[in-house]
């Protein structure tokens, strides 16, 4: 029997063929070898459809170099493609459409609005969801601000904190709101008063109609004035079962309305952050268990609804009363939050678990028993690497 081959499907970030998570892919390639799994990286641009082959990217740990090699289509595909506004994303959609019968570890998830709607149909999950509505015009903001003093506006397909606004109702000023946030390049929008007309103009320039959500704001400012939330990672393990890999807190930089690490946020141990925020150890233990149970239930439900999934990150808010709120679900999660808090074991698991799951899935399809094994990704290499060509 041939050794199973896993192709990590990703997208170049630019015309220089830069890869966002190349250091993660290196670790996956090395860890895969210890599991008897050959791993390479490719993008839709590397596919030769006429000859049914791929000009894949291969990492060699001995020389710490990347090379290219033509290869057949992989046995399985791990889709790590994030949304881009580029022709590359259009190529991705064509690839997915042309090759739907390949064995994917994970399928694309729907946008934030659709996910909110389907989760709202489950009573046990709906209670964790902030009131959320689709933006169709400034009147929606006005109507919702009459009910709630604080709102967030976010793109239905946004990532990394781009294009998010925090809107606060002002008691003393009728028709004026307090607005702050980040634009689509993650540049900070300083706190300022705006009329509804001015706000409508900004959202119109962003083409926000039917592409933005209005979400109930949760009070999450620490005594320092910085906002915080939590990133919970759940993954399929080497037995094909959803399991909690880990959770970490994130604290936004000064004057930021979001806590995203790419936007300058800081990673913090979950327990340390909850100790500042909640205090009571017994309550903290209960909150953590509830958050983990929620995350596993969400993952199982979404997989049943949308077919194959192998990992999800849930962004959770916990208010000062200890109530958990599910802010959004990310199907292509980063792992760096665990590296930044110094949790080496959770960081290792976050890298290895998709590979263990891929091995299990392959053997299940082939009717072969999966042996117990684990792989350790290598330490961060300080050696200069060859750039992708």
């Amino acid at each position: 029997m041939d050794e199973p081959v896993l192709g990590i499907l990703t997208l170049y970030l630019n015309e220089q063929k830069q890869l966002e998570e190349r250091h993660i892919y290196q670790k996956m390639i090395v860890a895969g070898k210890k599991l008897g799994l050959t791993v390479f990286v490719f993008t839709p641009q590397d596919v030769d459809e006429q000859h049914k082959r791929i000009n894949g990217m291969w990492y060699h740990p001995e020389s710490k170099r990347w090379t290219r090699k033509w290869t057949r289509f992989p046995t399985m595909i791990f889709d790590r493609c994030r949304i881009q506004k580029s022709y590359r994303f259009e190529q991705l959609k064509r690839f997915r459409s042309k090759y739907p019968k390949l064995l994917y570890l994970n399928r694309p998830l729907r946008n934030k609005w659709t996910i909110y709607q389907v989760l709202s149909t489950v009573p046990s999950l709906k209670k964790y969801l902030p009131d959320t509505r689709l933006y169709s015009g400034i009147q929606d903001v006005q109507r919702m601000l009459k009910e709630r003093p604080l709102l967030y506006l976010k793109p239905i397909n946004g990532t990394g904190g781009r294009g998010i606004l925090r809107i606060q109702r002002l008691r003393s000023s009728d028709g004026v709101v307090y607005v702050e946030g980040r634009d689509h390049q993650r540049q900070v929008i300083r706190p300022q008063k705006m009329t509804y007309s001015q706000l409508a103009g900004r959202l119109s320039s962003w083409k926000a109609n039917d592409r933005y959500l209005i979400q109930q704001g949760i009070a999450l400012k620490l005594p320092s004035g910085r906002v915080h939330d939590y990133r919970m990672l759940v993954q399929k393990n080497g037995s094909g079962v959803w399991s909690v890999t880990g959770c970490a807190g994130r604290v936004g930089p000064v004057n930021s309305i979001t806590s995203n690490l790419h936007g300058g946020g800081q990673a913090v141990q979950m327990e340390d952050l909850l100790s500042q925020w909640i205090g009571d150890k017994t309550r903290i233990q209960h909150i953590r268990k509830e958050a983990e149970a929620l995350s596993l239930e969400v993952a199982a439900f979404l997989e049943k609804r949308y077919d194959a999934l192998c990992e999800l990150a849930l962004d959770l808010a916990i208010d000062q009363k200890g109530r958990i709120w599910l802010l959004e679900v990310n199907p292509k999660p980063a792992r760096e939050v665990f590296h930044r808090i110094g949790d080496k074991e959770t960081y290792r698991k976050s890298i290895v678990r998709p590979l263990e799951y891929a091995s299990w899935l392959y053997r299940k399809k082939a009717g072969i028993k999966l042996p117990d094994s684990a792989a350790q990704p290598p330490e961060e290499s300080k050696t200069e690497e060859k750039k992708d060509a």
Side-chain angles (χ1 to χ4, degrees):
M1 183 186 66
D2 292 337
E3 186 174 86
V5 179
L6 178 67
I8 300 176
L9 176 61
T10 186
L11 292 175
Y12 296 125
L13 295 178
N14 48 39
E15 298 307 310
Q16 288 70 49
K17 296 188 175 181
Q18 179 185 354
L19 294 179
E20 184 176 12
E21 295 184 308
R22 189 169 60 148
H23 65 293
I24 296 293
Y25 302 149
Q26 289 177 189
K27 288 176 167 56
M28 286 186 166
I29 288 168
V30 175
K33 184 174 289 188
K34 295 182 180 180
L35 289 167
L37 189 66
T38 299
V39 183
F40 73 96
V41 182
F42 75 104
T43 80
Q45 287 178 259
D46 304 320
V47 177
D48 179 352
E49 294 182 358
Q50 182 178 356
H51 298 97
K52 296 182 179 179
R53 60 180 186 168
I54 296 172
N55 193 17
M57 291 168 273
W58 303 77
Y59 179 66
H60 307 278
E62 301 82 9
S63 61
K64 298 181 173 60
R65 294 290 184 269
W66 286 83
T67 62
R68 289 209 179 255
K69 181 177 72 173
W70 286 102
T71 185
R72 294 178 297 176
F73 275 66
T75 318
M76 298 168 286
I77 291 179
F78 183 25
D79 187 338
R80 287 292 299 165
C81 300
R82 295 179 177 136
I83 291 173
Q84 288 184 7
K85 291 183 179 179
S86 72
Y87 71 90
R88 293 180 292 273
F89 195 74
E90 297 305 313
Q91 289 176 329
L92 169 66
K93 290 193 287 187
R94 287 195 295 272
F95 178 89
R96 288 169 173 167
S97 176
K98 187 174 179 65
Y99 303 104
K101 294 185 179 180
L102 294 174
L103 181 55
Y104 292 84
L105 302 189
N106 54 335
R107 296 283 183 174
L109 211 54
R110 303 302 187 269
N111 64 50
K112 295 173 187 176
W113 175 237
T114 302
I115 295 301
Y116 172 81
Q117 288 179 301
V118 299
L119 292 177
S120 296
T121 65
V122 185
S124 60
L125 300 177
K126 185 176 181 179
K127 63 183 180 180
Y128 293 102
L129 303 176
D131 184 12
T132 304
R133 305 171 197 181
L134 189 64
Y135 176 84
S136 60
I138 197 64
Q139 69 278 358
D140 296 323
V141 175
Q142 291 174 292
R143 193 177 301 118
M144 201 163 169
L145 272 178
K146 289 179 180 179
E147 304 169 18
R148 305 187 181 281
L150 180 63
L151 305 177
Y152 276 77
L153 266 74
K154 58 176 70 173
I156 62 173
N157 283 317
T159 59
R162 298 178 181 88
I164 296 180
L165 294 178
R166 181 182 188 270
I167 303 172
Q168 189 171 356
R169 184 177 69 208
L170 296 177
R171 295 178 183 176
S172 57
S173 302
D174 188 30
V176 177
V177 289
Y178 194 64
V179 179
E180 55 187 322
R182 289 181 183 270
D183 64 19
H184 289 278
Q185 285 71 49
R186 289 202 191 104
Q187 297 300 310
V188 172
I189 298 172
R190 297 292 179 186
Q192 56 192 279
K193 291 181 181 179
M194 282 189 184
T195 64
Y196 282 118
S197 177
Q198 290 171 324
L199 177 59
R202 179 177 292 266
L203 292 171
S204 177
S205 70
W206 286 358
K207 297 180 174 61
N209 283 29
D210 299 322
R211 294 169 57 185
Y212 258 67
L213 299 180
I214 315 171
Q215 192 171 79
Q216 167 191 353
I218 314 298
L220 298 173
K221 284 191 176 181
L222 297 165
S224 64
R226 297 163 72 180
V227 299
H228 76 291
D229 64 9
Y230 302 86
R231 168 60 65 94
M232 178 78 74
L233 178 63
V234 292
Q235 297 174 300
K236 287 284 191 70
N237 62 22
S239 301
V241 177
W242 283 109
S243 57
V244 173
T245 300
C247 189
R250 303 183 302 181
V251 178
V254 176
N255 298 324
S256 174
I257 66 164
T258 63
S259 60
N260 305 75
L261 300 187
H262 284 169
Q266 174 188 359
V268 182
Q269 292 279 355
M270 183 183 189
E271 286 73 14
D272 293 345
L273 200 50
L274 283 174
S275 294
Q276 294 179 45
W277 188 240
I278 301 296
D280 183 79
K281 289 185 178 180
T282 302
R283 287 183 66 206
I284 289 173
Q285 290 178 350
H286 174 76
I287 289 168
R288 175 145 196 165
K289 287 181 180 178
E290 185 180 358
E292 291 178 351
L294 165 64
S295 301
L296 292 173
E297 185 180 358
V298 168
F301 172 77
L302 290 178
E303 182 184 33
K304 186 176 180 180
R305 183 67 181 253
Y306 292 116
D307 200 9
L309 294 172
C310 72
E311 61 179 3
L312 293 172
L314 289 84
D315 289 344
L316 305 175
I318 300 172
D319 65 28
Q320 208 145 23
K321 294 180 180 178
R323 181 173 177 179
I324 300 169
W325 300 87
L326 174 56
L327 300 180
E328 59 185 67
V329 180
N330 184 341
K332 307 292 169 57
R335 292 142 171 78
E336 293 309 298
V337 66
F338 303 113
H339 179 67
R340 292 201 191 185
I341 63 174
D343 189 343
K344 292 183 179 180
E345 176 58 16
T346 299
Y347 184 57
R348 182 194 73 82
K349 284 182 181 178
S350 73
I351 292 169
V352 172
R353 274 188 167 167
L355 306 173
E356 293 175 336
Y357 172 62
S359 294
W360 174 86
L361 184 62
Y362 173 76
R363 285 161 173 76
K364 180 188 176 188
K365 296 289 184 182
I368 302 166
K369 184 178 179 182
L370 175 68
D372 293 332
S373 59
Q376 299 277 347
E379 294 296 318
E380 291 282 353
S381 171
K382 295 182 180 179
T383 305
E384 194 68 22
E385 296 157 356
K386 179 180 177 182
K387 291 186 180 292
D388 294 307

